[in-house]
Amino acid sequence: MFCGKMKALTFSYDDGVTQDAHLIEIFNKYGLKATFNLNSGFLGGKGTLVRDGVTVHHNKVSKEDVRHVYVGHEIAAHTLTHPFLPNMTDEREIIRQVEEDRLALSELAGYEVVGFAYPGGGINHSKRVADIIRQSTGVKYCRTTDSSHHFEPQTDLFEFQPTVYHHVEMDEMFRLGERFLAMKADRPQIFYIWGHAYEFDIRNEWGRFEDFCKMMAGADDVFYGTNAQILLADKNEH
Ligand SMILES: [Zn+2]
């Protein structure tokens, strides 16, 4: 249960790009809540990315701006410098990448950061890495990039699967959204969407995503919360 409701909606956005500020304006307009996974070693960096033949800005929010840009939403860790963790043989380096990022972000956020998203695409996690994070850091949940396409609660919070990726799966996201809104739930159900805010620039999908937010907003039987509020709901309520 999420504040007395069976259904919960949450969003997760990676890399701490400056486009996050516009995304937050949209979330705030519709009363939606999200979690933002940042690389503290890259804050303030400038750059571009080429995706699908289109060059988009890939500038990072500055250290000074972190606290106010993300106010009202959750800040979570994403490693210091975005390495591919399953390939790292040195356990201490995995711990340093995750825990030092978490502590640096806690300092910038002004509260204890407890969430984490695995950096990189593909199979960016492994049982070994998940166990190291579970045992040797203060992280309480880790999100993968493996879409589940369902809303069922998951038992392993250290290899948590999002429901859908907004970017290449936007049509599927709308279909799942309609199903989620129409569904009568007799047990907890979580709709979890992830992506990167710069991806809305590639095909100018900001308007379409705002349509989705508008469609999902204001349902009486849905709790709108950050990842931690929803994934750690059992722990929070004790
Ligand atoms: Zn990333």
Side-chain angles (χ1 to χ4, degrees), residues 14-19 39 42 45-60 78 82 120 165 167 194-203:
D14 293 357
D15 296 359
V17 290
T18 50
Q19 288 93 334
N39 306 109
F42 289 160
K46 305 263 181 263
T48 55
L49 267 185
V50 180
R51 284 289 148 86
D52 306 341
V54 180
T55 302
V56 294
H57 290 292
H58 197 248
N59 301 322
K60 305 300 173 70
H78 194 45
H82 218 273
Y165 175 31
H167 181 50
W194 84 280
H196 305 86
Y198 65 78
E199 288 159 341
F200 297 116
D201 286 346
I202 299 171
R203 290 193 291 265

Coordinates of all heavy atoms in Angstrom, one line a residue, residues 14-19 39 42 45-60 78 82 120 165 167 194-203:
D14 N 18.1 9.7 -15.7 CA 19.5 9.5 -15.4 C 20.4 10.6 -15.9 O 20.0 11.3 -16.9 CB 19.9 8.2 -16.1 CG 19.3 7.0 -15.5 OD1 18.6 7.1 -14.5 OD2 19.6 5.9 -16.0
D15 N 21.5 10.7 -15.3 CA 22.7 11.5 -15.8 C 22.7 13.0 -15.4 O 23.7 13.6 -15.6 CB 22.9 11.4 -17.3 CG 23.2 10.0 -17.8 OD1 23.3 9.1 -16.9 OD2 23.4 9.7 -19.0
G16 N 21.7 13.5 -14.8 CA 21.8 14.9 -14.3 C 22.0 15.9 -15.3 O 22.7 16.9 -15.2
V17 N 21.2 15.8 -16.5 CA 21.4 16.7 -17.6 C 20.5 18.0 -17.3 O 19.5 17.9 -16.6 CB 21.0 16.1 -18.9 CG1 22.1 15.1 -19.3 CG2 19.7 15.5 -18.9
T18 N 20.9 19.1 -18.0 CA 20.2 20.3 -17.7 C 18.8 20.3 -18.2 O 17.9 21.1 -17.7 CB 21.0 21.5 -18.4 OG1 21.2 21.2 -19.7 CG2 22.3 21.8 -17.6
Q19 N 18.4 19.4 -19.1 CA 17.0 19.2 -19.6 C 16.1 18.8 -18.4 O 14.9 18.8 -18.5 CB 17.0 18.2 -20.7 CG 17.5 18.7 -22.1 CD 19.0 18.3 -22.3 OE1 19.7 18.1 -21.3 NE2 19.4 18.2 -23.5
N39 N 25.6 11.6 -11.6 CA 27.0 11.3 -11.4 C 27.7 12.5 -10.8 O 28.0 13.5 -11.5 CB 27.7 11.0 -12.8 CG 26.9 9.9 -13.6 OD1 26.3 10.2 -14.6 ND2 27.0 8.7 -13.2
F42 N 30.7 14.3 -12.6 CA 30.5 15.0 -13.8 C 29.7 16.3 -13.7 O 29.5 16.9 -14.7 CB 29.7 14.1 -14.8 CG 30.5 12.9 -15.3 CD1 29.9 11.8 -15.9 CD2 31.9 12.9 -15.3 CE1 30.6 10.7 -16.4 CE2 32.7 11.8 -15.8 CZ 32.0 10.7 -16.3
G45 N 29.7 19.6 -16.1 CA 30.4 19.3 -17.3 C 29.5 19.7 -18.5 O 28.3 19.8 -18.5
K46 N 30.2 20.0 -19.6 CA 29.5 20.4 -20.9 C 29.8 19.4 -22.0 O 30.9 18.9 -22.1 CB 30.0 21.8 -21.3 CG 29.9 22.9 -20.3 CD 28.6 23.7 -20.5 CE 28.5 24.8 -19.5 NZ 27.6 24.5 -18.3
G47 N 28.8 19.2 -22.9 CA 29.1 18.3 -24.0 C 27.8 18.1 -24.9 O 26.8 18.8 -24.6
T48 N 28.0 17.3 -25.9 CA 26.9 17.0 -26.8 C 26.9 15.5 -27.0 O 27.9 14.8 -26.7 CB 27.0 17.7 -28.2 OG1 28.3 17.3 -28.7 CG2 26.9 19.1 -28.1
L49 N 25.8 14.9 -27.5 CA 25.7 13.5 -27.8 C 25.0 13.4 -29.1 O 24.2 14.2 -29.5 CB 24.7 12.9 -26.8 CG 25.2 12.2 -25.5 CD1 24.0 11.5 -24.8 CD2 26.3 11.2 -25.8
V50 N 25.4 12.4 -29.9 CA 24.7 12.1 -31.2 C 23.9 10.9 -31.0 O 24.4 9.8 -30.7 CB 25.7 12.0 -32.3 CG1 24.9 11.7 -33.6 CG2 26.6 13.2 -32.5
R51 N 22.6 11.0 -31.1 CA 21.7 9.9 -31.0 C 20.7 9.9 -32.2 O 20.1 10.9 -32.5 CB 20.8 10.0 -29.7 CG 21.5 9.6 -28.5 CD 21.9 8.1 -28.4 NE 23.1 7.9 -27.7 CZ 23.2 7.8 -26.3 NH1 22.2 7.8 -25.6 NH2 24.4 7.6 -25.8
D52 N 20.6 8.7 -32.9 CA 19.8 8.6 -34.1 C 20.1 9.7 -35.1 O 19.2 10.3 -35.7 CB 18.3 8.7 -33.7 CG 17.9 7.7 -32.6 OD1 18.6 6.7 -32.4 OD2 16.8 7.9 -32.0
G53 N 21.4 10.0 -35.2 CA 21.9 11.0 -36.2 C 21.6 12.5 -35.8 O 21.9 13.4 -36.5
V54 N 21.1 12.7 -34.6 CA 20.8 14.1 -34.1 C 21.7 14.4 -33.0 O 21.9 13.6 -32.1 CB 19.3 14.2 -33.6 CG1 19.0 15.6 -33.1 CG2 18.3 13.7 -34.7
T55 N 22.3 15.7 -33.0 CA 23.1 16.1 -31.9 C 22.3 16.8 -30.9 O 21.5 17.7 -31.2 CB 24.2 17.1 -32.5 OG1 24.9 16.4 -33.5 CG2 25.2 17.5 -31.4
V56 N 22.4 16.4 -29.7 CA 21.7 17.1 -28.6 C 22.6 17.5 -27.5 O 23.7 17.0 -27.3 CB 20.6 16.1 -28.0 CG1 19.5 15.8 -29.0 CG2 21.2 14.8 -27.4
H57 N 22.2 18.5 -26.7 CA 23.0 19.0 -25.6 C 23.1 17.9 -24.5 O 22.1 17.2 -24.2 CB 22.4 20.3 -25.0 CG 22.5 21.4 -25.9 ND1 23.7 22.0 -26.2 CD2 21.6 22.1 -26.6 CE1 23.5 23.0 -27.1 NE2 22.2 23.1 -27.3
H58 N 24.3 17.8 -24.0 CA 24.4 16.8 -22.9 C 25.2 17.5 -21.8 O 26.3 17.1 -21.3 CB 25.2 15.6 -23.4 CG 25.1 14.4 -22.5 ND1 26.2 13.8 -21.8 CD2 24.0 13.6 -22.2 CE1 25.8 12.8 -21.1 NE2 24.5 12.6 -21.3
N59 N 24.7 18.7 -21.3 CA 25.3 19.4 -20.3 C 24.8 19.0 -18.9 O 23.6 18.7 -18.8 CB 25.0 20.9 -20.5 CG 25.5 21.4 -21.8 OD1 26.6 21.0 -22.3 ND2 24.7 22.3 -22.5
K60 N 25.7 19.0 -17.9 CA 25.2 18.5 -16.6 C 24.9 19.7 -15.7 O 25.6 20.7 -15.7 CB 26.4 17.7 -16.0 CG 26.8 16.5 -16.9 CD 25.7 15.5 -17.2 CE 26.1 14.5 -18.2 NZ 27.0 13.5 -17.7
H78 N 24.4 7.4 -9.2 CA 24.5 6.8 -10.5 C 26.0 6.5 -10.8 O 26.4 6.4 -11.9 CB 23.9 7.7 -11.5 CG 23.6 7.2 -12.9 ND1 23.0 6.0 -13.1 CD2 23.8 7.7 -14.1 CE1 22.9 5.8 -14.4 NE2 23.4 6.8 -15.0
H82 N 30.3 7.0 -14.1 CA 29.5 6.2 -15.1 C 30.3 5.0 -15.7 O 30.2 4.7 -16.9 CB 29.1 7.2 -16.2 CG 27.7 6.8 -16.8 ND1 27.5 5.9 -17.8 CD2 26.5 7.3 -16.5 CE1 26.2 5.9 -18.1 NE2 25.6 6.7 -17.3
G120 N 24.9 2.9 -17.7 CA 25.2 2.2 -19.0 C 24.0 1.4 -19.4 O 23.1 1.1 -18.5
Y165 N 10.7 2.0 -20.8 CA 11.7 3.0 -21.1 C 10.9 4.0 -22.0 O 10.4 3.6 -23.1 CB 12.8 2.3 -21.8 CG 13.9 3.2 -22.4 CD1 14.3 4.4 -21.9 CD2 14.6 2.7 -23.5 CE1 15.3 5.1 -22.4 CE2 15.6 3.4 -24.1 CZ 16.0 4.6 -23.5 OH 17.0 5.4 -24.1
H167 N 11.8 6.2 -24.1 CA 12.3 6.7 -25.3 C 12.0 5.7 -26.5 O 11.2 6.1 -27.4 CB 13.9 6.8 -25.2 CG 14.5 7.3 -26.5 ND1 14.1 8.4 -27.2 CD2 15.6 6.8 -27.2 CE1 14.8 8.5 -28.2 NE2 15.7 7.6 -28.3
W194 N 11.3 5.0 -17.0 CA 12.7 5.6 -16.8 C 13.2 6.1 -18.2 O 12.6 5.8 -19.2 CB 13.7 4.6 -16.3 CG 14.2 3.7 -17.4 CD1 13.6 2.6 -17.9 CD2 15.4 3.8 -18.1 NE1 14.3 2.0 -18.9 CE2 15.5 2.8 -19.0 CE3 16.5 4.7 -18.0 CZ2 16.6 2.6 -19.9 CZ3 17.6 4.5 -18.9 CH2 17.6 3.5 -19.8
G195 N 14.2 6.9 -18.1 CA 14.8 7.5 -19.4 C 15.9 8.5 -19.0 O 16.4 8.6 -17.9
H196 N 16.2 9.3 -20.1 CA 17.1 10.5 -19.9 C 16.3 11.7 -20.5 O 15.8 11.6 -21.6 CB 18.4 10.3 -20.7 CG 19.1 9.0 -20.5 ND1 18.8 7.9 -21.1 CD2 20.1 8.8 -19.6 CE1 19.6 6.9 -20.7 NE2 20.4 7.5 -19.7
A197 N 16.4 12.8 -19.8 CA 15.6 14.0 -20.3 C 16.1 14.5 -21.7 O 15.3 15.0 -22.5 CB 15.6 15.1 -19.3
Y198 N 17.4 14.3 -22.0 CA 17.9 14.8 -23.3 C 17.2 14.0 -24.5 O 17.2 14.5 -25.6 CB 19.4 14.7 -23.4 CG 20.0 13.3 -23.3 CD1 20.0 12.5 -24.5 CD2 20.6 12.8 -22.2 CE1 20.5 11.2 -24.4 CE2 21.1 11.6 -22.1 CZ 21.1 10.8 -23.3 OH 21.6 9.5 -23.2
E199 N 16.7 12.8 -24.2 CA 16.1 12.0 -25.3 C 14.8 12.7 -25.8 O 14.5 12.5 -27.0 CB 15.8 10.6 -24.8 CG 17.0 9.8 -24.6 CD 16.8 8.6 -23.6 OE1 15.9 8.6 -22.8 OE2 17.7 7.7 -23.7
F200 N 14.2 13.6 -25.0 CA 13.0 14.3 -25.6 C 13.4 15.3 -26.7 O 12.6 15.7 -27.5 CB 12.3 15.0 -24.4 CG 11.7 14.1 -23.4 CD1 12.2 14.2 -22.1 CD2 10.7 13.2 -23.7 CE1 11.7 13.3 -21.1 CE2 10.2 12.4 -22.7 CZ 10.7 12.4 -21.4
D201 N 14.7 15.7 -26.7 CA 15.2 16.7 -27.7 C 15.4 16.0 -29.0 O 15.4 16.6 -30.1 CB 16.5 17.3 -27.3 CG 16.4 18.3 -26.2 OD1 15.2 18.7 -25.9 OD2 17.4 18.7 -25.6
I202 N 15.6 14.7 -29.0 CA 16.0 14.0 -30.3 C 14.9 14.1 -31.4 O 15.2 14.5 -32.5 CB 16.4 12.5 -30.0 CG1 17.5 12.4 -29.0 CG2 16.7 11.8 -31.3 CD1 17.8 11.0 -28.5
R203 N 13.7 13.7 -31.0 CA 12.6 13.9 -32.0 C 11.6 14.8 -31.5 O 10.4 14.8 -31.8 CB 12.0 12.5 -32.2 CG 12.9 11.5 -33.0 CD 12.1 10.3 -33.4 NE 11.8 9.4 -32.3 CZ 12.5 8.4 -31.9 NH1 13.6 8.1 -32.5 NH2 12.1 7.7 -30.9

